[in-house]
């Protein structure tokens, strides 16, 4: 089965940067896209960014445009989220997802990694 392992979270001051990674393990698989979502305590999970795997086309939530960059390494089956100019409102658990069975449906998820932005 496909497994997604998320890493790179931590504590950072406002204005700082972090880079999250999501690496696929298990069987080799093709996918339509991979994306990042986040969820703060007591809040719903929201979309952050996505990348179409073959084309590399990217999509961003308005709240992170100009600050976050999603990228992928096809050979490593890894997707990254570079987060710059972090704000306290970016604090959340960040989840990586993959669209495998159908486009638009995230049917595989990583375990999540905590990002905390102070000040």
């Amino acid at each position: 089965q496909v497994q997604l392992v998320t890493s790179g979270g931590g504590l950072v001051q406002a204005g700082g940067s972090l880079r999250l990674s999501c690496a696929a393990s298990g069987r080799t698989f093709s996918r339509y896209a991979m994306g990042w979502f986040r969820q703060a305590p007591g809040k719903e999970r929201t979309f952050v960014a996505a990348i179409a795997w073959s084309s590399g086309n990217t999509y961003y939530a308005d709240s992170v445009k100009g600050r976050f960059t999603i990228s992928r390494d096809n050979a490593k089956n890894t997707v990254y989220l570079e987060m710059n100019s972090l704000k306290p409102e970016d604090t959340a658990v960040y989840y990586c997802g993959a669209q495998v069975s159908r486009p638009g449906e995230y049917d595989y998820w990583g375990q999540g990694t905590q990002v905390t932005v102070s000040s």
Side-chain angles (χ1 to χ4, degrees):
Q1 294 294 318
V2 175
Q3 293 179 300
L4 303 177
V5 179
T6 309
S7 62
L11 176 64
V12 65
Q13 293 182 324
S17 300
L18 284 173
R19 190 178 78 158
L20 308 183
S21 298
C22 177
S25 63
R27 77 170 189 269
T28 300
F29 70 102
S30 60
R31 79 225 70 179
Y32 296 100
M34 295 185 70
W36 291 95
F37 294 74
R38 64 188 182 186
Q39 187 170 24
K43 306 295 183 181
E44 65 180 357
R45 186 176 297 187
T46 59
F47 170 78
V48 176
I51 184 166
W53 202 254
S54 61
S55 69
N57 291 342
T58 57
Y59 310 87
Y60 297 94
D62 288 342
S63 59
V64 306
K65 283 183 179 178
R67 301 189 298 120
F68 291 10
T69 302
I70 188 171
S71 62
R72 52 93 170 95
D73 186 325
N74 296 48
K76 296 181 179 179
N77 276 334
T78 300
V79 65
Y80 306 93
L81 184 68
E82 183 177 340
M83 304 182 294
N84 300 312
S85 301
L86 283 163
K87 306 174 181 179
E89 50 263 46
D90 295 318
T91 295
V93 176
Y94 283 70
Y95 297 91
C96 172
Q99 298 177 13
V100 176
S101 298
R102 297 181 179 182
E105 295 184 8
Y106 289 92
D107 46 358
Y108 290 88
W109 294 92
Q111 82 283 7
T113 186
Q114 176 70 49
V115 172
T116 303
V117 184
S118 64
S119 298

